[in-house]
Amino acid sequence: MSDTGKVEKDMAVVGPDERVLGPVEQVHDDGFDVQGLHLPLRDVEQVDDETVHMQPTDRVKLVERRLEVEAEQGVNAPPE
């Protein structure tokens, strides 16, 4: 975790490949929630103006996989 800055509700969270994982839903002392999953602050690579950049951890990969499955099922699919 290099520069975590301040994570705030509704900031965009992106994975290591810059794919948007979703907005910060809730902030806790030790991390925050995205897609209903808790991501610890130690998994944050950097925070800039309105974006939280994540490291490639197993937890982040789980959120990415959840998005893939939902897109395949037509749930929360990105707009065309």
Side-chain angles (χ1 to χ4, degrees):
M1 169 171 65
S2 59
D3 177 19
T4 58
K6 183 174 181 183
V7 175
E8 297 180 3
K9 189 175 190 300
D10 297 325
M11 292 179 91
V13 180
V14 297
D17 61 355
E18 295 302 310
R19 178 179 178 191
V20 176
L21 303 179
V24 173
E25 298 165 340
Q26 188 172 7
V27 179
H28 308 280
D29 290 338
D30 63 342
F32 52 94
D33 298 338
V34 174
Q35 296 287 324
L37 294 174
H38 181 76
L39 296 177
L41 287 175
R42 68 177 176 269
D43 290 352
V44 173
E45 179 72 33
Q46 172 181 332
V47 177
D48 55 35
D49 294 334
E50 297 180 12
T51 307
V52 181
H53 300 269
M54 303 302 295
Q55 298 181 47
T57 64
D58 288 341
R59 196 84 165 148
V60 172
K61 290 175 187 174
L62 180 61
V63 175
E64 291 174 326
R65 182 64 185 134
R66 177 182 279 183
L67 289 174
E68 289 171 8
V69 169
E70 289 177 352
E72 289 170 4
Q73 296 174 344
V75 178
N76 293 328
E80 296 182 19

